[in-house]
Amino acid sequence: QVQLVESGGGLVQAGGSLRLSCAASGSIVTINRMAWYRQAPGKQRELVASITNDGRTNYADSVKGRFTLSRDNAKNTVHLQMNNLKPEDTAVYYCNVNENYRLYWGQGTQVTVSS
């Protein structure tokens, strides 16, 4: 199995920045994709950003130009740099890893953006 450790969540004011990190460990054969999802209270979980093994990234329209996803393949770690945060970014953020076509989820880290 694969274990995911998330870090970097917290409370910031609108316009501020946070950097989320997710490190994968365990029985890793190959990581096909790493991604961050988020879920706000009363809403469905949505994809925020993803990055594939070949470096292809995808972002939700709501975060384009503000968030940047990067991956350190040697450390099996992904980072989500979140700039110009808005109150609507408030949610629990979950790391998701596709490891050899098996999906793993982090425990979730709270991001709260105050106005």
Side-chain angles (χ1 to χ4, degrees), residues 10-11 14 22 27-28 30-31 33 37 39 44 53 55-56 59 67-68 71-72 87 93 101 107:
L11 172 64
C22 176
S27 301
I28 298 174
T30 184
I31 295 180
R33 192 190 80 147
Y37 290 73
Q39 187 167 22
Q44 294 184 339
N53 189 48
R56 186 173 71 255
Y59 298 92
F67 292 9
T68 302
R71 178 176 173 178
D72 185 340
Y93 284 68
Y101 305 103
Q107 80 284 356

Side-chain angles (χ1 to χ4, degrees), residues 1-112:
Q1 283 193 307
V2 174
Q3 295 79 45
L4 305 179
V5 178
E6 302 162 328
S7 62
L11 172 64
V12 297
Q13 292 184 324
S17 298
L18 285 173
R19 183 174 181 260
L20 304 183
S21 298
C22 176
S25 63
S27 301
I28 298 174
V29 176
T30 184
I31 295 180
N32 305 106
R33 192 190 80 147
M34 301 186 78
W36 283 98
Y37 290 73
R38 68 186 181 187
Q39 187 167 22
K43 300 185 67 177
Q44 294 184 339
R45 188 172 299 183
E46 64 176 348
L47 176 67
V48 178
S50 65
I51 184 166
T52 57
N53 189 48
D54 62 359
R56 186 173 71 255
T57 55
N58 187 45
Y59 298 92
D61 288 342
S62 60
V63 307
K64 287 181 179 177
R66 300 188 297 120
F67 292 9
T68 302
L69 190 65
S70 61
R71 178 176 173 178
D72 185 340
N73 290 335
K75 298 181 179 179
N76 292 318
T77 300
V78 67
H79 306 283
L80 183 66
Q81 179 66 45
M82 305 185 294
N83 297 326
N84 192 25
L85 284 161
K86 303 176 180 180
E88 50 263 43
D89 295 318
T90 296
V92 177
Y93 284 68
Y94 297 90
C95 180
N96 172 263
V97 172
N98 181 322
E99 188 277 325
N100 201 28
Y101 305 103
R102 298 179 184 271
L103 298 182
Y104 296 89
W105 291 92
Q107 80 284 356
T109 184
Q110 178 71 46
V111 171
T112 302

